[in-house]
Amino acid sequence: MKPSQVVVHGMLRPDGTIQLDSRPNLPAGPIEVVLRPLSVPVPADGDWWQQLRHARDELEAVGGPFRSSEEIEKERQGFREDHSDS
């Protein structure tokens, strides 16, 4: 009897394509795909910069929102203007 379901890990690329780690053991035909992000553990001996880099990589992998330099500078300028009256 053939499996009715298999779990295959892979990577979701920024362009939305999927790269599978292995070939699914299913016959050709219609399928249903369910995507669920996996958290990759940070090595315990990693320093804070490695952990921060890892967190950023995870967010990028799932299309996390990041502000542009212009957006950050606009917010900083707003803070300066709000506190220049003091």
Side-chain angles (χ1 to χ4, degrees), residues 2-79:
K2 295 201 180 232
S4 62
Q5 169 178 307
V6 295
V7 175
V8 178
H9 291 105
M11 181 64 66
L12 178 62
R13 296 179 179 160
D15 66 358
T17 60
I18 299 170
Q19 177 182 345
L20 300 178
D21 292 346
S22 61
R23 186 181 191 102
N25 185 21
L26 290 173
I31 61 167
E32 177 180 36
V33 177
V34 176
L35 300 176
R36 179 176 51 241
L38 299 177
S39 177
V40 179
V42 177
D45 60 348
D47 64 12
W48 69 270
W49 182 252
Q50 289 172 322
Q51 292 180 8
L52 184 62
R53 188 69 239 166
H54 175 77
R56 170 81 185 215
D57 291 344
E58 279 190 331
L59 285 171
E60 286 179 351
V62 296
F66 294 99
R67 297 182 298 162
S68 67
S69 298
E70 293 80 20
E71 291 170 318
I72 294 169
E73 188 54 39
K74 183 178 178 181
E75 182 178 4
R76 291 177 67 192
Q77 188 61 36
F79 285 139

